[in-house]
Amino acid sequence: QEENTMSKKTNGQELQEKLTWKFPHIAKDAPQQMEKASKFCEGYKEFLNGGKTERECVRLAVRMLKKAGYKPFDPKASYEPGDKVYYVNREKSVIATTFGKKPLTDGLRINGAHIDSPRLDLKPNPVYEKEDIAYFKTHYYGGIRKYQWGTIPLAMHGVIVKKDGEKVEISIGEKEGDPVFCVTDLLPHLAAKQNDRKLAEGIKGEELNIVVGSVPFQDEDVKEPVKLLALQILNEMYGITEHAFYRAEIEMIPAHKAADVGFDRSMVGAYGQDDRVCAYTALLAEIETKKPARTTVTILADKEEIGSNGNTGLDSDYVLHYIEDLADQAGVKARDVLRNSLCLSSDVNAAYDPTFSDVYEARNSSYINKGCVLTKYTGARGKSGSNDASAETMAKVIGIMEEEGVYWQAGELGAVDAGGGGTIAKLVAHMNVDTVDLGVPILSMHSPFELSSKLDVYNTYKAFKAFYK
């Protein structure tokens, strides 16, 4: 009798349970998901290792799409529900579609992620020698914390177009036995003056110089012999000269592979999870969609980290043109398709980090292991530059996830005046499409080694599957 009395909830406890809400920790609420999430993330780690640049991601995505039966999109063809097509834009972005059963005027299910990540790009004239050391000059791409890029192994990835038009793909530093490259930094014994710098200038942009050689070409009459030997080795490997760098896109990125993190292996640590975590989960959900109610448009875009500019970024009209082609095929107006469409801007958010708690507002932050994060607005300084999804859009997306048992949470990008950021959401919304951000909470975002929870990655995939259903 005493046990029954003690276990019985009071009126206040019952009311509190009814009226208040906390997002659960998935491992506590559904521990059986851990095995599924771990298995799912094995493929994800392979994707991260195989697609370290936007071009590599597109090639990898196209291989996956072709294997799943996708055909190149033909604007003059006609398609039936369940047909699958893809379109590649300049080798740096890709769109995939599964045709749905409902008419196109009922709207599309659009899912847009990006496949570019912060990095060090080579300048057009990058190779130089100073005091018997050969270097690459770089210009950083996207929002990096420059001090994080010193003294870590870097790999060289990219493409060079030769004078005769031949395209040469470069990858050095990924295979076992490959050389790697790095940015040097001062030893603490001599860093007293450097220590007085602000953290943002711990290493300055023009100090992000990458060591590529230290042995000279054997000829006493040659100026800059160390640079010459480095160029000779590159010429022997790829048949290129210094002149070729003006016709190149070369990215210097962390050379490490994706790895499990923690004794419990509950997290993935890797470069480029912003935003290839959403790209992979969206792509897999797209591929596994059979005959959806509404036609899908899955976008893996370039250039988000620098504002989505350029003709491979979402600020160009290539996605609009693709949707216009779909509308023309169906004999309807693109504007009628767009106004009834729903889009997930699939991008990551900053997970709450207890070590740096002062820049977060705990009640409205996302946390690892609590599921995919729905971000109503991004922006900065009073939501400036944000899409700010409507209540109706939020209700629709939350309803889709809860109907399929997806673990989700809500979050914003840090405390109100702590900073801010943006995604592709406002660019899709510009086409008169209901849009909201949904993705994975990430620790150490924009660093060379980001952390994600396997449970969050898995539930993001489940969210995308539900969205396409």
Side-chain angles (χ1 to χ4, degrees), residues 162 168 170 172 217 228-242:
K162 290 185 177 180
V168 180
I170 290 178
I172 306 172
F217 184 85
L228 183 61
L229 182 61
L231 287 172
Q232 181 190 33
I233 294 169
L234 266 175
N235 181 260
E236 290 171 353
M237 293 176 71
Y238 295 106
I240 59 174
T241 66
E242 186 174 26

Side-chain angles (χ1 to χ4, degrees), residues 58-363:
V58 167
R59 285 200 299 269
L60 187 52
V62 168
R63 286 201 298 270
M64 293 168 66
L65 291 166
K66 284 182 175 179
K67 187 177 179 181
Y70 285 72
K71 306 293 183 185
F73 175 60
D74 182 357
K76 297 179 181 178
S78 60
Y79 296 102
E80 301 295 327
D83 286 348
K84 291 175 172 285
V85 298
Y86 70 93
Y87 166 75
V88 174
N89 180 22
R90 294 170 172 85
E91 300 184 32
K92 295 200 287 184
S93 59
V94 61
I95 303 174
T97 285
T98 303
F99 286 89
K101 292 176 282 190
K102 291 189 175 184
L104 220 60
T105 48
D106 278 19
L108 305 166
R109 286 289 163 90
I110 305 170
N111 191 350
H114 69 89
I115 48 177
D116 63 314
S117 293
R119 60 183 187 252
L120 302 182
D121 285 345
L122 294 195
K123 290 189 176 186
N125 183 21
V127 194
Y128 76 101
E129 178 179 331
K130 192 168 184 179
E131 302 298 336
D132 298 324
I133 301 177
Y135 294 94
F136 278 153
K137 290 295 294 183
T138 69
H139 192 131
Y140 60 90
Y141 172 100
I144 70 167
R145 306 193 73 186
K146 294 184 280 291
Y147 74 88
Q148 294 177 339
W149 289 75
T151 69
I152 64 169
L154 299 172
M156 180 179 178
H157 288 245
V159 62
I160 290 178
V161 180
K162 290 185 177 180
K163 195 172 183 179
D164 61 4
E166 180 190 355
K167 193 175 292 184
V168 180
E169 299 286 344
I170 290 178
S171 178
I172 306 172
E174 297 293 347
K175 296 177 184 175
E176 190 71 29
D178 271 5
V180 294
F181 313 92
C182 79
V183 174
T184 59
D185 196 4
L186 277 174
L187 65 164
H189 313 66
L190 299 178
K193 188 175 179 181
Q194 185 192 42
N195 288 341
D196 290 335
R197 294 180 182 181
K198 292 182 179 180
L199 184 60
E201 296 181 346
I203 295 180
K204 299 177 182 180
E206 291 296 350
E207 293 171 342
L208 289 168
N209 304 315
I210 298 173
V211 175
V212 298
S214 64
V215 172
F217 184 85
Q218 296 301 312
D219 188 330
E220 293 295 328
D221 296 323
V222 170
K223 293 182 179 180
E224 298 185 315
V226 181
K227 170 184 172 179
L228 183 61
L229 182 61
L231 287 172
Q232 181 190 33
I233 294 169
L234 266 175
N235 181 260
E236 290 171 353
M237 293 176 71
Y238 295 106
I240 59 174
T241 66
E242 186 174 26
H243 187 264
F245 282 104
Y246 292 99
R247 303 185 301 274
E249 292 176 6
I250 305 295
E251 304 173 16
M252 305 301 292
I253 55 182
H256 51 247
K257 305 291 186 184
D260 291 341
V261 174
F263 291 119
D264 54 9
R265 296 179 177 267
S266 60
M267 293 174 284
V268 173
Y271 163 71
Q273 297 199 72
D274 177 10
D275 183 40
R276 292 172 192 139
V277 64
C278 294
Y280 178 74
T281 47
L283 183 63
L284 223 59
E286 162 67 45
I287 286 171
E288 293 175 7
T289 298
K290 302 307 178 187
K291 288 188 177 181
R294 291 175 175 81
T295 297
T296 68
V297 174
T298 302
I299 308 159
L300 307 188
D302 185 24
K303 293 291 189 289
E304 191 276 341
E305 296 295 358
I306 57 170
S308 293
N309 302 303
N311 57 9
T312 54
L314 258 293
D315 200 23
S316 101
D317 285 338
Y318 80 92
V319 172
L320 175 61
H321 295 164
Y322 179 82
I323 293 172
E324 287 174 340
D325 285 342
L326 293 178
D328 288 345
Q329 282 182 333
V332 299
K333 292 181 178 179
R335 67 181 65 178
D336 295 333
V337 177
L338 290 164
R339 74 165 58 97
N340 292 319
S341 294
L342 180 62
C343 174
L344 296 181
S345 165
S346 301
D347 210 340
V348 300
N349 202 334
Y352 184 90
D353 189 334
T355 303
F356 305 103
S357 59
D358 58 314
V359 298
Y360 298 88
E361 197 268 282
R363 292 176 57 83

Side-chain angles (χ1 to χ4, degrees), residues 367-381:
Y367 294 78
I368 62 168
N369 293 316
K370 292 193 175 183
C372 57
V373 53
L374 195 61
T375 306
K376 185 181 187 298
Y377 49 82
T378 53
R381 300 174 303 282

